[in-house]
Amino acid sequence: MKAVILCGGQGTRIRDVSEIVPKPMLPIGNYPVLWHIMKIYAHAGITDFVICLGYKGWQIKEFFLEYKAMTSDFTIQLGHHNRIEFHNGSDEAQWRVTLVDTGLNAQTGARLWNARAYLDDTDRFCLTYGDGVADVDVRSLLEAHARSEKVGMLTGVRPAGRFGELELQANVVTSFHEKPNARAGCINGGFMVFDAERVWSYLHDGEELNLEQEVLPAMVADRQLAMYEHRGFWQCMDTFREYTLLNEMWKRQEAPWKVW
């Protein structure tokens, strides 16, 4: 099982914080929000990641290239930089991280399409955004997707409505409204699962392919998109206020998404 994380957007609504670094690298405590998302998946036993890069993707590459040095005590012999002795390990030592340049201006569906070569050895994969954390039970999500026999399943959450809203019949999505003005119900909270064989019939080449505006509504039309309702904690980091909120929760050791 692999987890794909979309990390290529420019984060325009949080530019006052993320002008220097891409949004997935904005820290919660000492680690970027991307790391927190990966820890959620790792807690469920998923440690094989495909990171879809775009805007300032080299900074995300740099983070993983330097990860061991940044998270370990070590002794280095000056003048011989290849002689480094690391003194402690980490829970992340077994993570496998594939970093894929999916295009500077590619939309979300295009990023997934451009990473498809790294998903041909799995029957299902998870997909989420690089800016949202939750205490979602990933194992239960995977079980629900298997029972549904649908191509896709997304996690429905219920915060204030400003994202794509879902309407349901028996947990099958019947309507998908992108950023409604005022409606009641669940929104797409990410933490999606897709059948790795059937999903590609809904995607195609072209950087304008948008997951939320084209791919998911097409699945809805075929009644092939189900929802896993999550009634626990969920929060994206889309604004400076949300960035501050998540950091305050972490500082107080009141971070519900810390399930590991």
Side-chain angles (χ1 to χ4, degrees):
M1 178 68 70
K2 294 185 178 182
V4 182
I5 307 179
L6 299 171
C7 295
Q10 298 192 21
T12 55
R13 287 188 292 269
I14 197 170
R15 276 292 180 85
D16 50 345
V17 184
S18 66
E19 185 65 34
I20 298 175
V21 300
K23 184 163 62 167
M25 292 304 295
L26 288 176
I28 301 177
N30 294 328
Y31 291 91
V33 60
L34 172 59
W35 178 89
H36 290 257
I37 296 167
M38 296 169 78
K39 291 288 282 186
I40 295 168
Y41 280 111
H43 178 69
I46 300 173
T47 57
D48 196 343
F49 300 97
V50 177
I51 311 298
C52 297
L53 304 176
Y55 176 70
K56 295 188 176 182
W58 63 269
Q59 293 191 18
I60 301 177
K61 289 182 177 181
E62 189 175 53
F63 171 76
F64 288 105
L65 284 170
E66 299 178 357
Y67 187 82
K68 189 169 182 61
M70 290 189 297
T71 58
S72 303
D73 297 336
F74 63 84
T75 299
I76 183 170
Q77 183 175 341
L78 300 183
H80 300 277
H81 278 207
N82 60 332
R83 299 182 185 176
I84 302 175
E85 180 184 358
F86 292 97
H87 299 297
N88 52 309
S90 70
D91 293 339
E92 299 80 53
Q94 300 304 312
W95 288 9
R96 185 172 186 267
V97 184
T98 302
L99 298 129
V100 186
D101 183 356
T102 55
L104 178 61
N105 298 311
Q107 295 295 309
T108 47
R111 295 196 186 283
L112 177 57
W113 175 260
N114 291 340
R116 67 193 184 282
Y118 302 98
L119 298 168
D120 61 2
D121 57 350
T122 183
D123 58 348
R124 292 191 297 166
F125 64 87
C126 296
L127 174 71
T128 197
Y129 304 102
D131 63 354
V133 291
D135 59 354
V136 60
D137 187 334
V138 176
R139 290 189 179 92
S140 293
L141 167 63
L142 292 170
E143 291 170 0
H145 176 250
R147 290 194 302 269
S148 76
E149 299 183 347
K150 303 297 183 184
V151 173
M153 174 170 279
L154 50 75
T155 297
V157 297
R158 295 178 181 271
R162 60 184 177 92
F163 297 97
E165 185 181 73
L166 314 173
E167 292 181 1
L168 305 169
Q169 281 185 2
N171 269 2
V172 175
V173 181
T174 58
S175 182
F176 187 97
H177 306 283
E178 177 65 8
K179 293 182 173 62
N181 290 326
R183 301 178 69 94
C186 291
I187 67 164
N188 176 14
F191 293 96
M192 295 169 268
V193 188
F194 293 105
D195 182 311
E197 294 184 3
R198 294 185 289 164
V199 68
W200 305 115
S201 66
Y202 292 94
L203 291 102
H204 56 77
D205 194 15
E207 67 175 15
E208 297 303 318
L209 179 63
N210 188 285
L211 182 73
E212 299 77 20
Q213 296 177 2
E214 183 174 343
V215 179
L216 297 183
M219 290 184 187
V220 170
D222 290 343
R223 296 185 65 82
Q224 284 298 320
L225 183 65
M227 188 194 79
Y228 175 83
E229 184 172 359
H230 175 60
R231 300 190 178 189
F233 176 85
W234 175 90
Q235 180 63 59
C236 66
M237 185 191 285
D238 209 37
T239 64
F240 178 72
R241 183 191 68 81
E242 292 162 347
Y243 165 79
T244 302
L245 171 67
L246 290 170
N247 272 279
E248 288 177 348
M249 296 176 76
W250 185 262
K251 185 177 181 180
R252 295 195 306 265
Q253 298 184 352
E254 297 175 357
W257 70 91
K258 189 181 181 301
V259 293
W260 60 90

